Amino acid sequence: AIDPLLCYFSSKGGAMAYVTIRDVAQRSGTSVSTVSRALNNRGRISRETKALVEKTAHELGYIPDSRAQAMRSTRTRLVGLLVPDIRNPYFADLAYAIQDTLFDAGYCTSIGTSSEDSVKQDAYIMNMLSQHIDGAIIVPRGGKSKALKALVDISVPMVFVDRHVNDMPEVPVVDSDPSEGLLKALTDLHSRGFRKVGYISGPIVDSPTLQEREYAFRSAGRALFGEDNLFVESTSFGHVSCLSMIRKMRGSGVNAFIFGYSQDAVQAISALGYQGLAIGKDISLISFDDLEMFRLMTPNISVISQQVHVIGSLGAQLFLDIVERGRKAGAQRVETVYIPRGSVGEAR
């Protein structure tokens, strides 16, 4: 059998150098095979010698080399995590929740970003495979790609979070159900006297999740406001300003807006400020995703929360059920929650 090489980096004369298992043997006055047995709990060895070796290893600060351990085991305890944009506070919170749950279970996370680009997504997935990951947790971009299909074909454990892919039902998904949150938000607007509502759905092309949100908005809004009083526009991942869309809707008498994509809301809030329009007075505004910045703004922004920490934790737990317990996982949905704040006022 090949023993794992235990190593660490130390500074010697200003250079970084490996310290190997042989250095532990030399420092403790034992043999390499004795150190290996002591540190890997294999073979016969006296308590005194084992204690001496462990004390020496601790003093030197040794950590296992995962590459050497991978020679002895098919498990690396490394999980690939791919999100669209780590700069987006929502995906940063999602990644944190996933990483935290996996860490508690003894797994490390390799985090990458696709930049909402299918080509970059597939390149990162192939890179993950070269690292011999135990599996992947992915916020997918678009439909079934070659790399996503490759993960399924070679039976790499995989979970989708936040978004699903319509033609990949074999991959378990943890995402949010937009219906309840949207219904409560629309009901609140209606109760405040608004009779027309604008919805900016975000970059819905190749995004089944955003498409579902728009459908849920139309379904709930139709019953409360009537089809003719719903105004819907979409943006793109190129972050085109939605200010022109807001102007167009306001020209039709719309002063209450719901954003299906939080980054559009962030841009709109900034643009509206420059236009001298007061949020919560001149315009009422609700956005998906309970971002920290929304809670810090004045007024605080009303949101439809996807409960991102719940989604992240459930996604990681679903992954662990597959890898650790061999369970066949199914889709899980988290109910969205409407949180009214100062950005929604009374209709004028």
Side-chain angles (χ1 to χ4, degrees):
I2 300 175
D3 289 319
L5 173 66
L6 301 179
C7 63
Y8 80 118
F9 285 102
S10 66
S11 178
K12 294 184 177 181
M16 301 301 291
Y18 276 107
V19 177
T20 71
I21 195 171
R22 293 172 180 81
D23 296 310
V24 179
Q26 183 177 5
R27 175 76 69 87
S28 61
T30 60
S31 67
V32 170
S33 60
T34 297
V35 173
S36 176
R37 290 198 300 274
L39 296 180
N40 292 287
N41 296 312
R42 297 200 313 272
R44 298 180 64 180
I45 187 171
S46 69
R47 290 183 179 179
E48 293 78 11
T49 301
K50 180 175 174 59
L52 172 63
V53 171
E54 289 178 340
K55 180 175 181 292
T56 303
H58 177 72
E59 289 173 350
L60 292 176
Y62 278 86
I63 59 173
D65 184 340
S66 61
R67 293 169 300 174
Q69 286 187 328
M71 298 177 187
R72 297 166 46 85
S73 171
T74 57
R75 299 283 292 277
T76 62
R77 305 194 77 80
L78 177 66
V79 181
L81 171 60
L82 183 61
V83 297
D85 188 349
I86 201 67
R87 298 169 302 176
N88 183 324
Y90 172 82
F91 291 119
D93 287 345
L94 181 67
Y96 182 88
I98 292 170
Q99 180 178 258
D100 202 41
T101 303
L102 291 176
F103 181 82
D104 288 343
Y107 286 80
C108 290
T109 310
S110 174
I111 303 176
T113 179
S114 67
S115 302
E116 296 290 6
D117 185 294
S118 298
V119 174
K120 289 184 179 179
Q121 169 186 271
D122 281 15
Y124 184 80
I125 289 172
M126 299 313 295
N127 180 266
M128 286 195 300
L129 287 174
S130 71
Q131 298 180 48
H132 306 291
I133 55 173
D134 285 349
I137 300 177
I138 297 173
V139 182
R141 166 73 174 96
K144 181 190 289 187
S145 67
K146 290 182 178 180
L148 289 175
K149 185 176 183 299
L151 289 176
V152 173
D153 290 344
I154 61 178
S155 300
V156 173
M158 177 170 54
V159 172
F160 289 154
V161 290
D162 185 66
R163 302 174 182 174
H164 60 277
V165 177
N166 284 334
D167 49 355
M168 297 188 72
E170 67 274 26
V171 180
V173 182
V174 179
D175 64 357
S176 65
D177 184 342
S179 300
E180 185 65 19
L182 275 167
L183 177 59
K184 292 289 179 61
L186 286 164
T187 300
D188 185 31
L189 292 175
H190 192 271
S191 70
R192 292 172 183 266
F194 291 98
R195 293 299 176 261
K196 295 183 178 182
V197 182
Y199 183 76
I200 298 177
S201 55
I204 64 172
V205 177
D206 294 328
S207 177
T209 298
L210 295 180
Q211 291 167 12
E212 181 187 13
R213 288 180 194 174
E214 181 181 310
Y215 177 83
F217 167 81
R218 291 182 182 276
S219 179
R222 190 180 298 115
L224 286 166
F225 296 88
E227 185 70 42
D228 292 340
N229 294 315
L230 302 180
F231 298 79
V232 179
E233 296 281 355
S234 64
T235 57
S236 68
F237 283 119
H239 301 299
V240 176
S241 173
C242 51
L243 185 57
S244 61
M245 301 175 188
I246 294 174
R247 287 173 178 162
K248 178 182 176 182
M249 292 182 189
R250 292 196 75 219
S252 299
V254 177
N255 287 312
F257 296 85
I258 297 178
F259 289 80
Y261 186 62
S262 59
Q263 294 305 290
D264 285 340
V266 172
Q267 291 194 3
I269 291 167
S270 176
L272 291 170
Y274 282 115
Q275 295 294 314
L277 296 171
I279 294 174
K281 294 180 180 179
D282 301 319
I283 285 182
S284 287
L285 188 150
I286 301 168
S287 176
F288 265 79
D289 303 334
D290 191 14
L291 306 185
E292 182 180 13
M293 67 175 68
F294 288 162
R295 300 191 292 273
L296 298 176
M297 290 177 176
T298 303
N300 297 164
I301 304 301
S302 301
V303 297
I304 299 170
S305 171
Q306 297 188 75
Q307 304 192 74
V308 61
H309 295 288
V310 177
I311 291 176
S313 180
L314 281 177
Q317 289 293 346
L318 199 64
F319 175 84
L320 293 171
D321 281 344
I322 297 170
V323 174
E324 298 269 333
R325 305 169 189 94
R327 295 178 183 171
K328 185 176 180 180
Q332 295 189 38
R333 307 215 80 186
V334 176
E335 189 174 274
T336 49
V337 177
Y338 173 56
I339 304 174
R341 296 181 179 135
S343 65
V344 174
E346 300 297 324
R348 293 186 174 185

